Amino acid sequence: MTVKVSKPILNIREKLSELDKPTGVKGNELLRSDTAQDARNLIGAGRKNKFINGAMRISQRGSSHSLTADGDYSIDRIKHIVRGTHASTYTHSTDHPDGFNRSLKISPNSTYTPSGSDNASFQSFIEGQDLQDLQWGTSNPKSCTVSFYAKSGSQNNGHQYTFQIRSYKTNGDTNIKNFPFVVTTTWQRFSFVFTGDGNGDIADTSGNGFACLWNLDAGPDDITSQYTEWTTLNKFQCVLGQSHFQNNTSNEFYLTGVQVEVGDEATEFEHLSYAEDLRLCQRYYAIFHPTGQEQVYIENSGNASHSFINFPIPPGMRGEPSVELEGTWTGGGIHGGRTISAVSVQKVDNGGLSGTTHPGSMGRVSCRVTRDSSGTYTSGQIAHTDAWQDGAAWLAYESEL
């Protein structure tokens, strides 16, 4: 006799999710994932924060900056914005929420009442090529979520400010969307979901993709209703109810824990090692310190301005950097009896100009060294100097957005 047995088809994932075990909501979602990508998205595997120096730990230019000019930088990746008058001091602060050790602190240097389209803001840029996974300008654009920790001083407790994203499109237009937020003297975490923009792409370049803007003050022309949808506009816009940060020099604004991530939920802040944070910042700003025994090439013994020295450009910079000579470069001696009277940058090359084949490669900086008339040299001779060692002088490379 033959016995035929039939069994119902089982969905193993569903049965596992029904087991009496503490899988939790996220565990059940993970069990029901259809693809490896779905599972990866759920557990947040891999790097997720597109904002560089979000923990505000890196400040290569120094710990305090009194800024008045539009476009000046303070701590790494933070750019001072002026429309009208905006004089503020940016400080690398040790005031922070739990889980962090640094923040950015801003306070006005003087009082000012903005008029017209005046703005007092600061911003940080994200390269367009690092935002292509958002798929904007397609039929399936992804949302992104911005989160950050902020607080005020006691004088401006309860102030309302505005956070805005400006996206940069391939055709040169910019789209904006903004959110108001209210600060108190207690650290708070704010989060805003920016829905994907199906009508506007993001330029796929090493140039501007996003500008993340904190608008602290504005004239009446730039305080309007909230932009709840992506709107083509090239302005800094504050939301109705905006407070005036520049009305008292005791006002303070603190910021840390900035995160920009794909998706419609603010997840736990992604902490990197100090080395990782620093290396990411050095794509835009880096420092090189000469040492002792630096070798100066005497090209022409009879011409005091015909001596040269080369220094390296670090790899991975966004483009060909501008180079500033900081510290004290003159007054020291060159072996053989002469004194350095001037040093100037002559040529910079790291393949970073538009159209070159190796952008971001290592390169060199050529500097002209002018010496006084004492001492004797031979054309083609190499003579060393110890004048720039131990932090006396350094080169600052800048390739900011």
Side-chain angles (χ1 to χ4, degrees):
M1 180 178 67
T2 301
V3 177
K4 188 175 181 180
V5 178
S6 62
K7 295 182 179 181
I9 297 174
L10 296 177
N11 185 315
I12 300 298
R13 281 198 182 97
E14 289 185 357
K15 291 301 179 184
L16 285 172
S17 68
E18 292 170 1
L19 293 177
D20 185 18
K21 59 177 183 177
T23 55
V25 174
K26 286 297 181 183
N28 285 330
E29 291 179 4
L30 186 60
L31 287 169
R32 293 191 177 97
S33 299
D34 292 325
T35 66
Q37 183 62 46
D38 289 341
R40 181 183 182 281
N41 291 340
L42 279 170
I43 64 175
R47 289 283 306 280
K48 63 182 178 181
N49 190 2
K50 297 180 179 296
F51 192 97
I52 294 175
N53 201 27
M56 305 295 163
R57 292 201 292 174
I58 310 302
S59 189
Q60 298 182 82
R61 294 172 175 89
S63 60
S64 182
H65 311 84
S66 180
L67 304 181
T68 59
D70 183 59
D72 284 346
Y73 275 83
S74 57
I75 78 170
D76 281 60
R77 310 300 301 124
I78 300 298
K79 187 175 185 178
H80 182 67
I81 299 301
V82 180
R83 298 294 183 270
T85 296
H86 177 201
S88 288
T89 295
Y90 292 71
T91 305
H92 199 206
S93 174
T94 55
D95 191 333
H96 57 82
D98 291 344
F100 296 85
N101 64 5
R102 288 285 188 173
S103 67
L104 169 67
K105 174 189 173 184
I106 306 171
S107 57
N109 292 347
S110 57
T111 60
Y112 176 72
T113 302
S115 60
S117 293
D118 289 352
N119 294 104
S121 313
F122 65 93
Q123 65 183 346
S124 184
F125 290 101
I126 301 174
E127 293 180 41
Q129 62 188 0
D130 294 331
L131 297 165
Q132 296 308 303
D133 53 340
L134 291 174
Q135 301 177 29
W136 287 14
T138 73
S139 59
N140 187 35
K142 297 180 180 179
S143 297
C144 67
T145 298
V146 177
S147 56
F148 56 84
Y149 293 84
K151 68 171 237 179
S152 70
S154 59
Q155 180 65 41
N156 56 323
N157 180 42
H159 267 203
Q160 175 183 304
Y161 302 126
T162 302
F163 178 78
Q164 172 182 309
I165 279 185
R166 177 184 292 174
S167 66
Y168 291 76
K169 297 159 63 173
T170 301
N171 67 5
D173 289 340
T174 60
N175 286 358
I176 71 165
K177 190 174 182 179
N178 60 14
F179 289 89
F181 63 99
V182 176
V183 289
T184 67
T185 55
T186 301
W187 283 103
Q188 300 176 76
R189 193 185 193 196
F190 300 91
S191 64
F192 309 114
V193 177
F194 289 80
T195 53
D197 187 355
N199 297 317
D201 69 346
I202 300 172
D204 187 8
T205 69
S206 60
N208 296 337
F210 274 180
C212 299
L213 301 116
W214 285 263
N215 295 314
L216 302 182
D217 210 338
D221 293 354
D222 282 349
I223 300 177
T224 66
S225 298
Q226 181 182 358
Y227 286 87
T228 58
E229 302 295 335
W230 289 106
T231 303
T232 301
L233 197 64
N234 185 27
K235 289 184 176 182
F236 304 114
Q237 296 288 277
C238 295
V239 178
L240 291 172
Q242 173 79 23
S243 300
H244 294 295
F245 182 68
Q246 296 182 104
N247 67 7
N248 195 303
T249 56
S250 295
N251 290 341
E252 296 172 345
F253 179 76
Y254 296 82
L255 177 74
T256 195
V258 183
Q259 184 153 284
V260 179
E261 58 188 304
V262 179
D264 55 8
E265 181 180 354
T267 63
E268 184 179 2
F269 182 79
E270 179 181 52
H271 289 277
L272 303 180
S273 70
Y274 185 90
E276 288 176 288
D277 276 333
L278 176 60
R279 192 68 195 92
L280 289 170
C281 290
Q282 287 173 330
R283 176 168 173 78
Y284 307 94
Y285 184 84
I287 291 172
F288 175 83
H289 278 276
T291 185
Q293 301 290 313
E294 291 288 356
Q295 304 297 300
V296 179
Y297 172 63
I298 313 297
E299 181 182 71
N300 187 329
S301 63
N303 191 324
S305 65
H306 276 228
S307 298
F308 299 91
I309 187 170
N310 286 344
F311 297 105
I313 299 174
M317 297 204 77
R318 186 185 64 85
E320 186 168 282
S322 62
V323 181
E324 297 292 334
L325 302 178
E326 305 285 358
T328 302
W329 286 84
T330 59
I334 303 176
H335 182 72
R338 295 196 179 179
T339 301
I340 299 169
S341 59
V343 182
S344 60
V345 175
Q346 293 298 293
K347 177 65 178 174
V348 180
D349 192 354
N350 73 335
L353 290 179
S354 177
T356 56
T357 56
H358 304 106
S361 63
M362 293 181 288
R364 305 288 286 180
V365 178
S366 174
C367 292
R368 180 185 296 274
V369 179
T370 302
R371 59 195 192 275
D372 69 8
S373 57
S374 61
T376 301
Y377 296 101
T378 301
S379 295
Q381 179 182 346
I382 294 176
H384 82 264
T385 179
D386 295 324
W388 307 318
Q389 65 183 340
D390 299 330
W394 62 94
L395 296 89
Y397 306 93
E398 184 167 310
S399 187
E400 297 280 7
L401 289 161

